[in-house]
Amino acid sequence: MRFTIKQATSGSERIGTFTGFIKSPGAVIETPTSALFTQGGSVTHITSEVLSKIFTTPKLLWVPLSNSYQLETGLKAQGQGIAKFAGLSGHVTSITPHSASEVTPVGHFEHGKVPLWTKNGKKMITADSYMDLMEVFQPDIILAIADSRTSLGEGYKRILKSVDRTCGFLEKCVDRYKGSKTLQTSSLIGVIVAAGVPSKCDECITHILKYKDSLGGVALAGLTDGTEESLKLVNDKIEGIFARVNTKLPKNLLRIVEGCWNPAVVLSAIENGFDVFDGSYPLKLSNVGHALALNFDLNQNDSEPCILDLNDERYKEDFRPVLAGCECLACKKHTRAYIRHLLNTREMLSSVLLSIHNLHHFDQFFKHARHHIASNTFKLYKQHITKQYEAYKQPLTNGVNEHKGKTALPQVTKKLKVSDEEMHCS
Amino acid sequence: MNVTPKALLFHLNAECNTTRARAGIMKLPHYDVKTPVFMPVGTQGTMKGLLPDQLESLDCEIILGNTYHLGNRPGTEVLRKAGGLHNFMGWNRALLTDSGGFQMVSLLKLAEITEEGVKFRSPYDDSEIMLTPEKSIEIQNCIGADIIMQLDDVVQTTFQDYDRIKEATERTSRWLDRCLSAHNRPLEQSIFPIVQGLLDKELREKSARDHLTKDVNGFAIGGLSGGEAKDDFWPMVRLGTGILDKNKPRYLMGVGLAIDLVVCVALGIDMFDCVFPTRTARFGCALVPKGQLNLKQKQYQTDLNPIDENCPCSTCKTYTRAYLHSIVTVETVACHLISIHNIAYQMQLMRSMRENIENQTFPQFVQEFVNAYYPDANYPDWVINSLSSVGINIVKP
C-alpha cells in the first residue's frame, strides 16, 4: 500500500490517495475518507448488488473481527481472503479486532490476551492468534491488536495496563508481519491508545514510531468505550487531543481515527491531519431511523435540520425525498413518507434505504471536504458544517430514540422475526 | 368484442394438449403479466428488504399487498394522498391486494363474523372495527391495485362443521354482490370473486357456478392450503378449474411450494401467491430443484459452490454457500441474498412452465421436474394421482 499526500494547506489538513493494494490493484482511495462499516464481511444491510448501485468505484471497507470471526472456517476453505469471500472483490479491506462503537462488557483481560466479543460469545485473542487469523482473512490493511477499549475518563492504572499490553502486542504483530509472506501483502497499522493521558499516549506513540518502517500508518483509539459515549463527547475536548497527537506524528504517515464521530468531530480530526474514519456514524444513524441531510452549499444558510428523524409522525404525509437534489438511489425514487412507513412497520427496507442515503451522503461530505482542502477553503467548510450540526440540538443520546430490537450498533436483531401475517401459507 | 376499455384483458397463447395447463398474457393497467405467474407477497408495501428495482430485475411482473395491514399502516388517508400504493412504494408494475378478511380471521382471536361483515378489535388501539364488503372495497379502491379481491367469509380449512361451511360459502356469494356494487373504479381495477366451500365438493361447485354468472374478469380459488391433506387439496383445485370460465384467469390463493405450483399449473391454474419463498429465506432456506437447502447446516460451512450453479441470480453469481452459511439468521444481508435467490427460483420455474406449455412439451417438463424434485423416485401418491387425472402418468426413471 502506498499513501501519498497530494496536497497540504497552510494548516494540517491534507488530501491524499492510497493505492498499490496487492489484492485490489486498481483501487485508488482518496483521503480524507470514511470506510464502509461491515458486519459479517458485508456492508451492513447492503448486498454487493446494491452496493454497486451506490458506489461505482472501489471503496475502503471496515471489517471488525468481532462480527466476522465466524467466517474463519469458510475463509480457510476458500483461501482467497475476506473481500472475495464476502462478494466484494475489488474493494479494499481493513481489519480491526473490534469496532470502537461496539458495546461490550468491561474487563476480561488476561496476560497477553484481549477478549473478542463475537456472536458466539467471548474469544480470548493473543497477538499470535490474531495474526494467524489475518493470514486467513488476508485483508489489505491490518490494524494491530491493541487494548484500546478505554474511555477518556479511565483510571490511571487501567491506562498503564492498556499501554503496556498494546506495546507488547505491537512488537509481536510486527514480528509476525515481517516473518510472513502472506501478511506482507497487507499493510500493518500501529494503534495509539491512552488518548486521554498525554504522557502515556506519547509513550505509546514513541513506541509505535520505532516500528515506523514496518507500518503503513497509525490509528488513534482509546478515545471511547462504545458509541453512546462517543456521541456525547464534546468537540473541544476531543479537538485538543487530535491537535496534540497531530504534533507527535510524522506527516507522511496515514492516520486513522476509530469511533462513531459526528461530522463536526470528523472535521476537527481532518483539520489535524487525520485521513480515514471507520464509517460507524452513518450506520448508527440508519439503525435508529435517522437521515443525514447536511447542506454543503457555503452560500446557502439552510434552516432545515441536518439530521432528520424519519420515525417522526410529521413525515407521515411528506412525499418529498429525504434531501432535495440528493442523487442517491433512495432520494431519486422514494419519499420520507415511505421510509417513515417502513420504520413504523419495522420493515427491513427502511434500513436499506436509509443506508443507501446515509452512505452516499456521508461520502459526499468527505468529497466536499477534499474539494475545500484543495481550494484552501476548508476552514469555511468546517464552520458551515459545524454550525449546522450545533443547530441540530438533539445529538443521539442514551438510546431513547432507538426502536426496540434495533439496539446499539453493530448488533442486529438476533432473531429475524417472522411476522404473524406470514402464517398465510403452509 | 368489448368496446369499453377493460381493467383486465386475458389472452391465452397456448393450451397444453395433454393437461389443463395454459400460457397466456394478462393485460393489466400497470403491466402485461405473463401467466402462469407466481406473485411474491409484499405485505406492507415492501418485499422483505428488496428494492423495487431488484424485483424488476428478477422479472417480477405482479406482486401482492395486504389490505388489512396497509389499511392500518400507512392508512388510506396517506395512500390516497400518495396517489395509491404504486406511487407510495415506487413500484410501476402490477399489484394485487387481498380483501383483508383472511388476516382478520387468522390474526385476531376476537373476530366475530356476521352477515354485515367481520367485527374485530383493532390490535393497534383496541377499538372495535367492522370490516364490511363495502369497506374492504373502499380501502382497496384507495390502495389502487390492478386486481382486488372480494371479502369472503373465511373458515379454517380443516374446519368440520358443515352448516358453518355452507353458511360461509353462501355468504361469500352474497358478499360478492355487495363488493361488486361498492366498486368505484371498475375501469382500473378488477374484483376477483373467491370460490369457497372448503373441502365439500357440492358447496365448491355451487360457489364456482354462482361466481360464473357475475360480470368479473377473473376468479380466485380460496380456502385451500390451510393444513388440509394433499389428497383433499388437489381434487378441489381440479373441480374449480373444471367449472370456471376458460377465458378468464384463475388464481389459487396461498400456494407457492414448487411441487404444488407444477401440479396446479397442470390442473389449469394461472396465478399463485405465497409468502413461503421470502419467509423461508429468513430462516436460511434456499430453494433448489431438489427442494431446499438449509444453509445453517454445518455441511455448508466449507461448501464453495453457489446455492444453485445453474441459477443466474445475483446471489448465485457472487456468493458461496459457505459465506451464506456464516451469516444466515445473523445479518440482514443474508436474508436479502436468499430472498433474491428464492424469488429468482420461483420466477425461473414459472418461466420454464410457460415455455414448455407454449412448445407443447409440458408433460415432459413435469416428468423431469418430479425426477429432480424427488431424486429417490419416491413420488407421493397425491402427485401421481393429481397428474394422472390430467393425463400425465409419472414413470420412475
Side-chain angles (χ1 to χ4, degrees):
Chain A
M1 180 187 87
R2 215 172 29 253
F3 176 61
T4 320
I5 297 173
K6 264 169 44 185
Q7 189 181 348
T9 63
S10 48
S12 291
E13 64 271 14
R14 69 261 189 100
I15 45 177
T17 51
F18 57 122
T19 52
F21 304 99
I22 291 160
K23 304 231 172 42
S24 23
V28 178
I29 306 290
E30 292 187 69
T31 62
T33 195
S34 168
L36 306 177
F37 195 91
T38 68
Q39 285 174 214
S42 284
V43 176
T44 316
H45 306 307
I46 300 293
T47 62
S48 131
E49 183 191 14
V50 174
L51 187 64
S52 68
K53 293 176 195 273
I54 311 175
F55 299 116
T56 50
T57 54
K59 302 304 279 185
L60 177 63
L61 307 177
W62 196 257
V63 185
L65 186 61
S66 54
N67 71 33
S68 53
Y69 184 81
Q70 75 275 15
L71 273 55
E72 184 191 3
T73 313
L75 273 163
K76 259 188 192 150
Q78 177 239 29
Q80 295 177 64
I82 177 73
K84 168 89 176 144
F85 191 54
L88 296 170
S89 299
H91 294 284
V92 179
T93 51
S94 176
I95 295 202
T96 179
H98 38 230
S99 149
S101 304
E102 274 169 71
V103 179
T104 56
V106 291
H108 296 270
F109 296 103
E110 287 172 28
H111 181 69
K113 292 178 183 173
V114 290
L116 196 67
W117 300 97
T118 73
K119 78 175 179 100
N120 297 321
K122 183 177 78 171
K123 306 272 181 234
M124 294 309 291
I125 300 279
T126 64
D128 263 321
S129 60
Y130 182 67
M131 294 310 267
D132 287 344
L133 285 164
M134 292 308 104
E135 299 212 18
V136 176
F137 277 69
Q138 301 173 32
D140 297 288
I141 298 167
I142 301 167
L143 271 76
I145 186 169
D147 175 5
S148 60
R149 301 305 305 257
T150 55
S151 67
L152 292 180
E154 208 72 56
Y156 191 66
K157 260 176 112 176
R158 172 78 185 88
I159 294 292
L160 282 182
K161 279 248 163 85
S162 143
V163 174
D164 218 42
R165 222 178 251 133
T166 300
C167 292
F169 284 145
L170 183 64
E171 264 166 54
K172 198 87 206 172
C173 285
V174 170
D175 231 36
R176 284 289 305 269
Y177 178 73
K178 284 179 165 170
S180 159
K181 265 206 171 122
T182 312
L183 291 175
Q184 299 250 328
T185 63
S186 313
S187 291
L188 186 64
I189 303 286
V191 177
I192 305 169
V193 296
V197 182
S199 60
K200 298 314 287 179
C201 184
D202 289 357
E203 190 185 315
C204 187
I205 292 173
T206 312
H207 180 259
I208 290 171
L209 294 180
K210 279 203 285 189
Y211 300 99
K212 206 170 63 186
D213 297 340
S214 308
L215 299 179
V218 294
L220 179 60
L223 289 163
T224 71
D225 189 12
T227 330
E228 303 310 335
E229 196 189 352
S230 72
L231 288 165
K232 273 183 260 171
L233 278 177
V234 285
N235 206 3
D236 304 355
K237 189 168 182 182
I238 203 123
E239 199 159 26
I241 293 171
F242 292 144
R244 263 201 78 255
V245 173
N246 180 23
T247 61
K248 307 283 173 189
L249 293 174
K251 289 265 175 278
N252 60 352
L253 272 185
L254 175 77
R255 301 164 183 189
I256 300 172
V257 188
E258 289 189 80
C260 187
W261 306 111
N262 68 53
V265 174
V266 167
L267 291 174
S268 291
I270 292 176
E271 191 173 33
N272 285 293
F274 285 87
D275 309 294
V276 174
F277 299 81
D278 73 12
S280 50
Y281 183 70
L283 172 60
K284 173 72 185 175
L285 293 179
S286 305
N287 279 350
V288 297
H290 292 188
L292 196 56
L294 292 163
N295 160 22
F296 298 129
D297 184 352
L298 265 50
N299 300 315
Q300 204 192 341
N301 281 316
D302 212 324
S303 57
E304 282 249 23
C306 67
I307 292 171
L308 309 182
D309 177 0
L310 291 173
N311 299 289
D312 200 302
E313 177 91 20
R314 85 176 74 166
Y315 299 114
K316 200 174 168 185
E317 297 180 357
D318 189 337
F319 300 115
R320 292 176 293 171
V322 169
L323 180 63
C326 177
E327 286 292 306
C328 87
L329 195 65
C331 286
K332 281 204 287 200
K333 198 147 180 189
H334 297 287
T335 62
R336 297 172 179 187
Y338 184 55
I339 296 175
R340 195 250 167 208
H341 163 71
L342 296 172
L343 286 165
N344 192 29
T345 48
R346 306 247 170 88
E347 282 284 351
M348 284 186 285
L349 191 60
S350 63
S351 310
V352 176
L353 292 178
L354 280 166
S355 292
I356 290 173
H357 172 76
N358 285 333
L359 290 177
H360 169 85
H361 193 68
F362 205 52
D363 190 62
Q364 291 292 306
F365 164 67
F366 281 94
K367 195 174 162 193
H368 285 278
R370 293 195 296 270
H371 164 78
H372 285 290
I373 295 170
S375 21
N376 226 337
T377 48
F378 181 74
K379 285 262 175 312
L380 292 172
Y381 181 64
K382 184 179 177 237
Q383 270 169 22
H384 180 71
I385 297 291
T386 305
K387 205 166 73 192
Q388 291 174 54
Y389 190 74
E390 274 161 10
Y392 166 75
K393 283 294 176 206
Q394 280 181 304
L396 300 159
T397 50
N398 62 30
V400 170
N401 291 333
E402 298 181 19
H403 336 195
K404 265 189 230 157
K406 285 189 178 177
T407 49
L409 124 181
Q411 295 142 340
V412 259
T413 331
K414 276 270 147 51
K415 271 232 161 78
L416 300 161
K417 194 175 160 279
V418 179
S419 29
D420 302 325
E421 78 274 6
E422 294 193 345
M423 307 317 287
H424 195 101
C425 179
S426 63
Chain B
M1 279 298 281
N2 240 325
V3 278
T4 46
K6 279 189 100 176
L8 187 156
L9 285 171
F10 186 58
H11 175 74
L12 283 177
N13 294 334
E15 289 172 81
C16 174
N17 287 336
T18 311
T19 68
R20 290 184 184 174
R22 40 281 190 87
I25 191 148
M26 181 167 66
K27 289 180 187 288
L28 298 172
H30 288 87
Y31 210 74
D32 291 354
V33 175
K34 295 187 277 294
T35 63
V37 64
F38 176 79
M39 308 181 286
V41 182
T43 300
Q44 324 225 47
T46 160
M47 186 68 62
K48 299 303 161 209
L50 306 188
L51 299 165
D53 286 4
Q54 291 177 289
L55 294 173
E56 283 189 16
S57 328
L58 284 167
D59 250 357
C60 294
E61 299 183 329
I62 177 169
I63 60 174
L64 241 77
N66 285 115
T67 296
Y68 168 77
H69 295 280
L70 292 164
N72 276 308
R73 297 182 302 191
T76 48
E77 232 0 77
V78 173
L79 286 168
R80 198 190 324 272
K81 286 182 184 159
L85 182 60
H86 283 97
N87 278 349
F88 186 66
M89 68 181 286
W91 173 248
N92 303 322
R93 296 187 176 181
L95 279 170
L96 181 149
T97 46
D98 64 359
S99 67
F102 181 86
Q103 269 77 22
M104 243 148 266
V105 177
S106 63
L107 294 184
L108 306 167
K109 291 174 197 87
L110 294 171
E112 186 193 324
I113 304 169
T114 62
E115 189 59 31
E116 196 192 349
V118 187
K119 190 164 73 179
F120 63 99
R121 287 209 173 276
S122 162
Y124 298 98
D125 59 9
D126 209 41
S127 60
E128 198 165 89
I129 300 174
M130 171 67 88
L131 183 80
T132 60
E134 291 79 11
K135 183 76 193 163
S136 169
I137 297 303
E138 186 194 324
I139 302 171
Q140 294 190 74
N141 280 164
C142 181
I143 296 171
D146 301 71
I147 297 174
I148 65 182
M149 304 304 295
Q150 77 152 118
L151 184 70
D152 54 343
D153 184 355
V154 180
V155 284
Q156 280 277 303
T157 309
T158 46
F159 200 73
Q160 303 283 335
D161 182 70
Y162 176 79
D163 291 340
R164 174 69 187 103
I165 298 168
K166 183 164 187 280
E167 178 193 51
T169 307
E170 291 170 357
R171 183 174 283 153
T172 295
S173 295
R174 290 193 293 274
W175 282 2
L176 172 62
D177 292 334
R178 285 169 60 187
C179 287
L180 289 170
S181 54
H183 189 18
N184 276 327
R185 301 175 66 181
L187 298 181
E188 300 146 284
Q189 300 180 286
S190 302
I191 295 186
F192 278 25
I194 302 173
V195 176
Q196 277 294 355
L198 289 195
L199 305 175
D200 188 285
K201 237 181 115 185
E202 273 144 39
L203 288 176
R204 249 190 207 274
E205 201 172 323
K206 171 98 175 29
S207 177
R209 294 205 186 281
D210 279 354
H211 294 342
L212 260 186
T213 63
K214 302 290 154 46
D215 180 20
V216 291
N217 296 331
F219 302 93
I221 296 176
L224 293 174
S225 193
E228 73 281 7
K230 287 289 189 194
D231 294 322
D232 294 332
F233 158 80
W234 72 263
M236 292 298 126
V237 177
R238 187 169 186 275
L239 178 80
T241 57
I243 296 169
L244 295 173
D245 187 346
K246 244 181 72 170
N247 298 309
K248 292 179 181 174
R250 301 126 169 208
Y251 162 32
L252 179 58
M253 302 173 77
V255 169
L257 265 180
I259 184 65
D260 298 357
L261 294 173
V262 171
V263 168
C264 294
V265 164
L267 296 176
I269 295 292
D270 306 299
M271 301 159 67
F272 302 88
D273 82 285
C274 190
V275 295
F276 168 72
T278 41
R279 185 184 65 179
T280 203
R282 266 186 291 171
F283 300 118
C285 287
L287 305 177
V288 289
K290 67 172 178 35
Q292 290 185 45
L293 303 181
N294 182 350
L295 289 163
K296 264 184 99 166
Q297 285 170 2
K298 208 157 182 183
Q299 68 187 98
Y300 301 114
Q301 206 174 17
T302 55
D303 187 338
L304 300 174
N305 295 302
I307 293 170
D308 177 356
E309 58 183 8
N310 298 317
C311 175
C313 82
S314 59
T315 301
C316 288
K317 274 193 292 188
T318 316
Y319 297 92
T320 59
R321 295 173 180 180
Y323 178 66
L324 295 168
H325 167 84
S326 62
I327 60 166
V328 281
T329 71
V330 181
E331 301 301 339
T332 54
V333 164
C335 179
H336 305 160
L337 291 174
I338 304 174
S339 288
I340 290 267
H341 168 79
N342 285 357
I343 293 174
Y345 172 83
Q346 301 285 101
M347 295 299 136
Q348 175 61 37
L349 175 59
M350 301 315 286
R351 195 178 308 124
S352 304
M353 287 202 271
R354 289 194 300 266
E355 286 167 7
N356 281 288
I357 295 165
E358 280 165 12
N359 298 333
Q360 291 300 345
T361 49
F362 186 66
Q364 293 91 307
F365 166 85
V366 173
Q367 176 73 56
E368 281 161 28
F369 176 86
V370 295
N371 290 349
Y373 202 77
Y374 301 105
D376 53 1
N378 225 341
Y379 311 128
D381 286 345
W382 78 272
V383 172
I384 295 173
N385 295 339
S386 58
L387 289 171
S388 103
S389 82
V390 285
I392 298 182
N393 295 309
I394 293 297
V395 287
K396 296 204 178 192

